[in-house]
Amino acid sequence: MGTIVMSGTVVLVILGFGNHVYWLAAVAVLFLYVQYGRGSSAPSGGAGGGATGGSAPADYRSYRERRDTQAKWERRYRRERPFEARRQAREKAN
């Protein structure tokens, strides 16, 4: 994936000598790749071979941390706003 993005960026930069909009497109492609591409493709690839690699426990650990933090905030909300929490539970049940 990285080689495709890099080669596409090089092509856009070369085309950018004639039209500067292509340089902006190259910057946008690089930004999107750094922001979204590397993180989503790293766990599936690599030397470990996907789920059997060393990144799966870290992903699960981060999931557990997010879930526990969310549960903590929900408990705090119910404790600090009991009437609102009961009203929302009634609405959810109906």
Side-chain angles (χ1 to χ4, degrees):
M1 177 71 177
T3 56
I4 295 171
V5 171
M6 290 301 158
S7 62
T9 304
V10 168
V11 168
L12 287 172
V13 167
I14 292 171
L15 290 173
F17 288 111
N19 187 355
H20 297 297
V21 174
Y22 288 117
W23 282 349
L24 293 174
V27 170
V29 166
L30 285 177
F31 173 75
L32 292 174
Y33 174 68
V34 168
Q35 192 73 20
Y36 301 107
R38 286 192 311 180
S40 63
S41 65
S44 63
T52 60
S55 63
D59 292 340
Y60 182 68
R61 190 177 306 120
S62 63
Y63 158 74
R64 289 280 307 261
E65 289 173 3
R66 287 193 311 271
R67 187 188 67 179
D68 293 344
T69 303
Q70 180 68 28
K72 180 182 77 169
W73 281 103
E74 288 175 358
R75 286 191 302 270
R76 180 177 177 184
Y77 182 84
R78 285 194 303 269
R79 182 177 65 241
E80 292 178 354
R81 298 170 181 85
F83 298 116
E84 182 69 17
R86 278 190 232 132
R87 184 187 63 78
Q88 288 178 357
R90 281 195 310 267
E91 288 176 356
K92 189 175 182 180
N94 291 336

